[in-house]
Amino acid sequence: MTLKEKAQLLVGTGMYFELPEGVQSPFGDQEAVDPQDSAYSAMVNHIRTFVPGAAGNTSMFNEKGITTQVLADGPAGLRIQPKRKGEERTYYCTAFPIATVLASTWDTALVNNVGQAMGNEVLEYGVDVLLAPGMNLQRDPLCGRNFEYYSEDPLVTGKMAAAMVKGVQSNGVGTSIKHFAVNNQETNRMSVDAIVSQRALRELYLKGFEIAVKEAQPWTVMSSYNKVNGTYASESHDLLTKILRDDWGFEGYVMTDWGGGSDVVAQMKAGNDMIQPGSPDQIHSLIKAVEEGQLEESVLNKNVGRILRIMLKSPKYNDFKYSSNPDLKTHAKVTRQAAADGMVLLENNGILPLAASIKKVAAFGNSSYDFISGGTGSGDVNEAYTVSLIQGLKNGGYETNAALMKSYENYLVEARANAPKPKNWLTAMMGGKTPVAEMIVSKELAAQMAQENDIALITIGRNSGEGGDREPLPGDFYLTDVEMEMVLNVTEAFHLLGKQVVVVLNVGGVIETASWKNIPDAVLLAWQPGQEGGNSVVDVLSGKVNPSGKLAITFPLKYKDGSSSNTFPGHEVEGETGNEADLSGFSFMNRVPWESTYNEDIYVGYRYYNTFDIAVSYPFGHGKSYTTFEYSNVTINKDKFNEKVTVSAMVKNTGGLAGREVVQVYLTAPGKSMDKPTDVLVDFGKTRLLKPGEEEALTFEIEAIDLCSFDEDRSAWVAEAGKYEVKIAASAKDVQGTVGFELPGELVVETVSNALAPAMEINKLKK
Ligand code: BGC
């Protein structure tokens, strides 16, 4: 390949939107691509016709046998344009449950299965790499993209991502685990400098990625927009070469997030092989850098080699004849079941599952009618339909109240017409559902509905997405007065007639629950469960599915209780100027000099709440069932550790309905020579569907690495000597059995690169 061809392969073919007639692109004349290079422009224009709506492409060189790679979002399903100019047919994809739902299943086999279905759509629509899964840690409940991520815990995150990657890639297509790394907020995401200790990086923010890379070898990794300890992730040799490749053995290629970083030469040297979406200016910069001696061509050769090695595996290179007709009907069943399995029953006074005598349902709450299947931005899918809660109820044989439905429908038309444009401009541009203010439910309306119906459902909806964080305010983290009044009025009216009330949370992340959760009779956390959402909710309400989901993130009493709430989302850095030289073609995105210091250090989520004994509304790992489980025979195979120990427990269904139980294993280290969180999740499992009276033995292996913390001085994973406790638990606050072992002497289990040291002192939270 010539130098020019190499540069053209390393830089993506640009952002392209199929726009309606007369609408101007924010990217200038899209067709001209590179006005100085008509051959290149023609090639790019040709590639763009392959899969309209794909986020990116790579160049192709036919005469050299180099095919393009089509890259498309995203975590909840394939995101492509559903309609194409001049064609009658459609190209809809399945909107699967968001990552938060999948994590709440605690079922890696199920996640693998969802990945298989998702990957099949990638293959059959002619795409090579799915830009998913998203797997940043849910550090703070307000991160606007938490719905695309799995958990506040790195083990759950890593295991879920690995299962997803394996499932998708089993189709012979690739994934891009993202956003590597420490992209835990949307506020100033393109310029924020995340300042984090090496220990917190290794134990929390990198750990999930490490698990996914080692267990599943994703074809690609997407570097994140932000800086980590002073350097853009995409320009960090420490991150992309020392850690990702030298320490973990990653074999694929790294691409930037769309417009990430600011210096292509630094990106190439760091091991960021591909620039996306890419601009001709960036191609010219690379060529110039080599010609002027600032960049060795051998660096480019290495990066090109990595891209080509993945290309050899891609469907496009292997001339796969895709059908453009994936089996959407079968995938609808996959998403329906996965969503039901990820719903978390937070409260239930016995009303659920609904008795057969309950037929007439009064559904309150805007989201009952305008159900939210997923979040906004690039993580949103263009699905053919969303089953609303109302439709789900009808499909399930329930009678919904027609007058109430009419009121909501009329209200929603008007409220939507008068709604302010979304504050998040990306949402405004890319579409997605922003909930409108809740309709007022008066005491009179509630009383009338209580007369006419057997039960009330109240849905509370929230949405968020790329480009903006959530707010610790009513209407977002907290309920508004109108929502609170709705819960109170409806509950009072129905209870007066001896009837009951179920609240359904149609949310993408954590909200405040403590102040109202005991008012209704049951609370079901349905999350944003994908396009079959209404059916999935009704499967759970009716008892067709016994809920077995558990929280993969803590629900605090109030936002301020969280360990990052004082520093999230950071602050402006005085004296620095923004908008540095930006060739990315994405320069319309503001770069405010911004800093976010992770003072809470290793104390994130339950690691914080448990260690500092802070009461929560729902602990990590919490979730109820329609049946009950009894744990017994918690045993360990030895009391002195060498290499590994095996812990087992018996779980018996002691209730009246078949069900599954998620079992968690927490480790408590001696904490003498090192500061340690009280509890760290080291393994988890889920029983099969147990019939009443049936039991299952679960076993868990704890290996030396599970005992370790990251010792910054030695740059090594070290297990301290002393007495350890292993807790078999139903949640982070519900321990069912404890065993222990001793580690006679300290173990240095693995020494790794000394990388990503922060340049400044961090005022770390300590026990
Ligand atoms: C997002 C990525 C996404 C990419 C391509 C970026 O703005 O951060 O998650 O994959 O766009 O759409």
Side-chain angles (χ1 to χ4, degrees), residues 55 73 131 145 178-179 189 222 225 257-258 378 466:
D73 287 303
L131 304 173
R145 287 184 93 170
K178 67 188 188 184
H179 309 86
R189 63 175 178 160
M222 187 187 294
Y225 284 132
D257 195 350
W258 269 230
S378 64
E466 199 181 339

Side-chain angles (χ1 to χ4, degrees), residues 644-715:
K644 64 177 186 206
V645 291
T646 305
V647 178
S648 47
M650 190 64 93
V651 179
K652 183 173 185 180
N653 182 347
T654 49
L657 279 172
R660 300 181 70 190
E661 170 75 343
V662 171
V663 179
Q664 299 146 53
V665 185
Y666 297 92
L667 188 68
T668 305
K672 297 240 162 66
S673 56
M674 286 178 137
D675 208 32
K676 289 270 194 172
T678 307
D679 297 297
V680 170
L681 185 79
V682 288
D683 206 353
F684 58 87
K686 193 166 185 175
T687 67
R688 62 172 196 277
L689 189 72
L690 296 176
K691 295 201 191 96
E694 263 186 350
E695 56 185 6
E696 182 178 341
L698 297 181
T699 57
F700 306 96
E701 285 193 343
I702 300 176
E703 294 176 21
I705 192 76
D706 302 324
L707 276 49
C708 291
S709 291
F710 189 74
D711 179 348
E712 297 182 348
D713 294 334
R714 286 181 272 184
S715 208

Side-chain angles (χ1 to χ4, degrees), residues 336 385-400 531-539 542 544:
R336 178 172 177 167
Y385 62 88
T386 293
V387 178
S388 69
L389 183 60
I390 281 295
Q391 266 171 283
L393 286 165
K394 287 183 190 154
N395 297 346
Y398 295 94
E399 205 178 298
T400 57
Q531 69 180 39
E532 286 284 327
N535 287 335
S536 307
V537 171
V538 175
D539 286 345
S542 65
K544 199 168 151 193

Side-chain angles (χ1 to χ4, degrees), residues 402-429:
L404 190 57
M405 178 156 118
K406 194 98 219 107
S407 310
Y408 271 101
E409 283 176 350
N410 291 342
Y411 170 80
L412 284 169
V413 170
E414 199 173 317
R416 260 193 239 111
N418 297 329
K421 285 258 171 298
K423 276 194 229 150
N424 180 342
W425 67 268
L426 257 175
T427 306
M429 188 176 90

Side-chain angles (χ1 to χ4, degrees), residues 585-597:
F586 238 62
S587 44
F588 55 89
M589 223 185 252
N590 241 354
R591 298 205 182 185
V592 180
W594 198 263
E595 206 169 77
S596 189
T597 311

Side-chain angles (χ1 to χ4, degrees), residues 15 53-56 71-75 79 130-132 134 145 148-149 176 178-179 183 186 189-190 222-225 255-259 276-277 377-379 426 430 466-467 586 589:
M15 201 78 178
L71 321 170
D73 287 303
R79 176 179 170 85
L130 182 72
L131 304 173
R145 287 184 93 170
E148 296 185 58
Y149 307 147
S176 194
K178 67 188 188 184
H179 309 86
N183 187 172
E186 289 300 289
R189 63 175 178 160
M190 302 202 71
M222 187 187 294
S223 58
S224 56
Y225 284 132
M255 67 178 87
T256 60
D257 195 350
W258 269 230
Q276 282 292 342
S378 64
L426 257 175
M430 300 176 96
E466 199 181 339
F586 238 62
M589 223 185 252

